[in-house]
Amino acid sequence: MNSVLECTPEELAERFREQGIEPFRARQVAGWVFGRGVRAFEAMTDLAQPLRAELASGWRTTALEPEGELRSRDGTTKLLLRTEDGGRIETVIIQEDRRRTVCVSSQIGCSLDCPFCATGRLGLLRNLRTGEIVDQVLQARDVLAARGEHPTHMVFMGMGEPLLNLRHVIPALRILTHPGALAFSPGRITVSTAGVVPQMPVLGRAIRVRLAVSLHATTDEVRDRLVPLNQRFPIASLLEACRAYPLPPRGRISFEYTPIRDLNDSTEDATRLVRLVSGIRAHVNLIPLNEHPASSFERAKPERVDRFAGVLARARVPVTVRQSRGDDILAACGQLGASDPPLAAAAVGR
Ligand code: SAH
């Protein structure tokens, strides 16, 4: 069946035309689904009854079934969603001051196998489709709307590697940013990659969103272990792709770096990091490691993290020491997909 969630308003108009439906109806349908979050054609009161019935029999407006919702002590919300073929994905809403950031998944599981990340343990089950990516944002928006809030930022930092699924991620970004669909500003969307170098220019050419790079190490020796993809695309090639990446005005590339005890948390690492990002408009995010039982890595000591951040700051590399959020509900970085059945069953239904 056709899905409204996979079409920009222009594409929808074209498909309607092919089906003998007046193309201008696309704008109305997109307004209901993307603008107002109305999914039932029956409720689209500016369409004649026979058209509503015709659309209902040939078009879908949903892709994911809500399965539950968990709320963390710090306000982070995790949505458990199910695909039609029974796949389970997770979407997180992070609240920080006035920001409401929707953290979107791009794949079910992940193929990259970074040993410190729980999602990697799952392996890759499959890519998410465009409609499944868009539906995550619509569902997060509904949850926020019920609290009188709305999403202000979006990050592709959930399950999966978005740059290995650009076939569906780019069309989803087009719909999310289209003025006649979700109208989200591309400057408030960040796509994060572990460093799929050949796909970075493909993304950059397609749409001007922000880029985050999960760097985590300053030598190939250490990065080969932490992010095995580095064995194919080593640090030098990754940074070259970063230098060539088309940034939005005043934009910076975020480098995600998780200080791990006695592995990558020394002042020598910090000095090397300064050198690596020199000439790149960079911002370094130091993210506390969320430890998990399957790995032996330990979070760096706070004083080491402070010293590391100090080296960057003195070299005028913008740096932020992040707090872990949502870890009590396994919604923090590197924890998605780790929820076992009892935890999912304890989720409050929606
Ligand atoms: N595959 C993409 C998108 C996922 S983003 C990427 O790697 O960028 C998820 C972020 O959380 C990445 O920066 C990842 O390196 C980080 N992460 C994974 N496991 C983590 C853990 N246990 N603690 C802290 N950060 C972790």
Side-chain angles (χ1 to χ4, degrees), residues 106 110 112 114 116-118 156-162 191-195 212-216 227 256-258 287-292 332-335:
S106 57
C110 185
L112 297 182
C114 305
F116 59 108
C117 178
F156 281 69
M157 298 188 184
M159 298 164 77
E161 168 53 50
V191 175
S192 183
T193 182
V213 171
S214 301
L215 190 62
H216 299 309
V227 184
E256 318 295 286
Y257 194 103
T258 301
I287 303 171
L289 179 75
N290 295 301
E291 294 171 14
H292 65 88
C333 300
Q335 296 188 317

Side-chain angles (χ1 to χ4, degrees), residues 77-275:
T77 303
K78 183 161 84 168
L79 307 183
L80 307 169
L81 303 166
R82 187 183 282 273
T83 62
E84 270 148 31
D85 56 352
R88 296 175 58 194
I89 59 173
E90 303 182 334
T91 305
V92 179
I93 307 168
I94 305 146
Q95 62 181 61
E96 237 173 336
D97 307 323
R98 303 177 75 165
R99 270 183 193 228
R100 297 293 178 271
T101 304
V102 181
C103 179
V104 178
S105 293
S106 57
Q107 297 180 315
I108 311 182
C110 185
S111 63
L112 297 182
D113 208 23
C114 305
F116 59 108
C117 178
T119 306
R121 306 292 92 199
L122 298 172
L124 177 65
L125 291 136
R126 70 166 171 84
N127 283 334
L128 288 176
R129 295 176 54 102
T130 301
E132 292 166 334
I133 297 170
V134 171
D135 206 1
Q136 292 176 61
V137 178
L138 290 176
Q139 301 222 15
R141 186 177 66 175
D142 287 347
V143 167
L144 284 170
R147 301 177 194 157
E149 297 174 348
H150 63 271
T152 61
H153 294 76
M154 214 183 287
V155 294
F156 281 69
M157 298 188 184
M159 298 164 77
E161 168 53 50
L163 267 65
L164 291 176
N165 185 19
L166 286 183
R167 187 155 87 87
H168 300 107
V169 166
I170 289 172
L173 288 170
R174 293 222 159 91
I175 294 164
L176 295 169
T177 56
H178 192 293
L182 271 102
F184 219 86
S185 156
R188 290 167 181 254
I189 301 179
T190 303
V191 175
S192 183
T193 182
V196 188
V197 167
Q199 297 302 314
M200 290 167 62
V202 177
L203 175 68
R205 271 197 299 275
I207 188 160
R208 289 282 153 108
V209 290
R210 290 175 184 273
L211 183 72
V213 171
S214 301
L215 190 62
H216 299 309
T218 60
T219 65
D220 282 323
E221 192 197 343
V222 173
R223 195 163 192 272
D224 279 352
R225 275 179 68 197
L226 288 178
V227 184
L229 183 67
N230 194 69
Q231 296 161 22
R232 284 169 64 198
F233 307 116
I235 293 177
S237 68
L238 175 56
L239 293 173
E240 199 182 305
C242 289
R243 287 199 171 78
Y245 191 82
L247 289 173
R250 297 191 313 277
R252 290 180 180 278
I253 295 181
S254 299
F255 288 93
E256 318 295 286
Y257 194 103
T258 301
I260 298 173
R261 188 169 173 178
D262 298 332
L263 185 68
N264 63 0
D265 61 343
S266 68
T267 49
E268 292 75 30
D269 280 299
T271 307
R272 267 195 299 271
L273 182 53
V274 168
R275 225 176 302 131

